[in-house]
Amino acid sequence: MKHVFALVDCNNFYVSCEKIFNPKLIGKPVVVLSNNDGCVVSRSDEAKALGIKTGTPLFKCRDILKKNKGYFYSSNYSLYGDISQRIMFILRRFSPHIEIYSIDEAFLDFKDVKIDDFCAYIKNIKRTIRQWIGVEVSIGIGPTKTLAKIANHIAKKDPQYRGVFDISAYPDIDSLLAGVAVEDIWGVGRQYKKILNNRGIFNALELKNASEIWVQDKMTIVGLKMVWELKGKSCLALEQADVNKKTIVSSRSFGREVRDISELKEAVSSHVSTALKKLRSQGSIASFIAVFLSTNPFKETPQYSNCAGINLIEASSYTPEFTKKAILLLEAIYKKGYSYKKCGVYLAEIMPENRLQMTLFIKDKEREKNKQLMKLIDGINKRFEESKIHMACEGIDQGWKMKQSFKSGRFTTRWNELLVVK
DNA sequence: TCTGGGGTCCTAGGACCC
DNA sequence: TCTGGGGTCCTAGGACCC
């Protein structure tokens, strides 16, 4: 049976989440900022119309926003994550075959879903999400994921389709593809664009008709699959199982520059806690940890960055053990006299808990005790507030923490931040 | 003054083995 | 002294995604 893929993508997702709870934002230029309130990551249509680009630092667009009665917000991931989950829950009603591709995007496959009026069915998805959540989505449909992506792009850009476009129903797909620049194809980034353009390939139709041998040579099997997908042959399957992470990273820029190792120790320790919490939440253990730190590459001050990693004798998910190692690693790479801007930790060699290779050096009792302790702490932190219980070495003041000066409330996940209407 | 964070997949090349 | 071929596994780095 042929695949029928739909890509459902939320419009201006982060900004849309802010708008749900704050009607004064409707019709205004609004942007949401990256961590540390650094640069723009999400823009309302009105902000786009002002020429504000993704990645623009706040200081470069603050004036124009102010002049146009605009607003800016810090990222509020508790809120966006919760809204995302609600949307994915709705999507599941329309097809059991769903791949949650990112916080604001999902692929559906209607391959063996019984549908009478396909067009109405798809429009109903859009309507339901608007009604139940208050977020606008765009839906692109095609026989492959790559074509569904392109269809989604068209649905978003061309107002005549009102946010829903089915590429298979279009009479002349080639003429459509001729209007899609190569860099707008899923999987073509800056490098591939350059390679393709040099060869005289500028649009999706030209890529579709390019020599497969040449494409594979220059862009590996990844490029070849891209060509096949453009031709309507599905090569990228729907990935339904929520696959466990193979690597976990926790890192942040500091809110200010940090010179002292004692502060770095606090930051590294809290990254260890974050990463280990994530590790446990997917029921995994890890046996490799690395620590990295760097100065601010945008400054003309002396630069230094380094990383170091170590294998554990036995894989584990016990925070204190990783914290100890991380501190040692930090001490090994820390150099005095530099102004640091960022640090983080990296976990690898991750495997399911039940695949533990036990060593002779750790007693069963110890292992079980550690596990129970972590479970208890995770439970308490989940029920009350993140990091209610944390390692002392994470510090109390945490003056190095990232800046988030313009954050809205966590309206849907914290009782004490419920929206007050009157 | 002010420039994000967290992932995946693929390949080439080296180490090692028979 | 000369000197083969095939295979696996691992890692670093490059490309991409949101």
Side-chain angles (χ1 to χ4, degrees), chain A residues 269 273 319-321 323-324 374 389-396:
Chain A
S269 304
S273 291
T319 303
E321 192 184 345
T323 308
K324 257 187 254 166
M374 289 297 108
I389 298 189
H390 59 86
M391 305 275 292
C393 51
E394 290 173 42
I396 306 292

Side-chain angles (χ1 to χ4, degrees), chain A residues 91-111:
Chain A
L91 289 179
R92 248 180 252 282
R93 300 163 65 103
F94 290 92
S95 173
H97 310 298
I98 177 169
E99 172 187 344
I100 297 170
Y101 182 68
S102 74
I103 193 164
D104 74 326
E105 266 178 73
F107 286 101
L108 303 178
D109 190 350
F110 299 109
K111 169 174 77 167

Side-chain angles (χ1 to χ4, degrees), chain A residues 282-387:
Chain A
Q282 66 170 39
S284 296
I285 50 179
S287 65
F288 179 83
I289 178 167
V291 170
F292 53 90
L293 82 179
S294 62
T295 50
N296 188 348
F298 293 102
K299 282 211 162 173
E300 299 208 355
T301 47
Q303 296 289 313
Y304 171 69
S305 64
N306 207 346
C307 63
I310 192 171
N311 277 92
L312 272 60
I313 297 171
E314 181 180 300
S316 146
S317 61
Y318 185 56
T319 303
E321 192 184 345
F322 283 84
T323 308
K324 257 187 254 166
K325 295 277 191 264
I327 297 293
L328 290 176
L329 290 167
L330 173 65
E331 285 169 344
I333 55 175
Y334 171 78
K335 275 196 194 167
K336 218 175 156 174
Y338 289 97
S339 218
Y340 294 99
K341 184 60 180 168
K342 182 175 177 174
C343 73
V345 309
Y346 167 90
L347 304 179
E349 287 167 43
I350 292 174
M351 65 201 86
E353 213 174 358
N354 54 21
R355 276 206 22 229
L356 173 65
Q357 287 284 326
M358 295 189 216
T359 58
L360 297 169
F361 308 109
I362 299 170
K363 292 196 189 93
D364 285 353
K365 228 175 155 182
E366 186 83 8
R367 227 181 257 127
E368 190 52 33
K369 206 177 85 190
N370 292 346
K371 195 176 145 184
Q372 290 305 324
L373 179 59
M374 289 297 108
K375 204 172 151 186
L376 186 69
I377 291 177
D378 287 341
I380 294 172
N381 283 338
K382 195 169 170 188
R383 182 158 165 213
F384 296 98
E385 199 173 312
E386 358 349 352
S387 313

Side-chain angles (χ1 to χ4, degrees), chain A residues 244-245 247-252 271-285 317 319 345 347 350 378:
Chain A
N244 285 339
K245 303 267 179 270
T247 61
I248 291 174
V249 175
S250 173
S251 77
R252 284 277 180 286
H271 287 309
V272 171
S273 291
T274 306
L276 269 283
K277 199 167 110 191
K278 225 185 261 181
L279 182 72
R280 290 190 296 270
S281 76
Q282 66 170 39
S284 296
I285 50 179
S317 61
T319 303
V345 309
L347 304 179
I350 292 174
D378 287 341

Side-chain angles (χ1 to χ4, degrees), chain A residues 38-58:
Chain A
C39 49
V40 172
V41 291
S42 179
R43 308 160 293 159
S44 68
D45 292 338
E46 297 79 8
K48 286 176 189 173
L50 290 176
I52 297 170
K53 300 264 183 290
T54 299
T56 309
L58 173 60

Side-chain angles (χ1 to χ4, degrees), chain A residues 90 93-94 121-135:
Chain A
I90 293 173
R93 300 163 65 103
F94 290 92
Y121 193 83
I122 298 301
K123 283 185 183 157
N124 192 27
I125 298 179
K126 186 169 163 59
R127 190 171 46 241
T128 308
I129 295 174
R130 178 194 298 136
Q131 236 169 49
W132 294 9
I133 306 292
V135 167

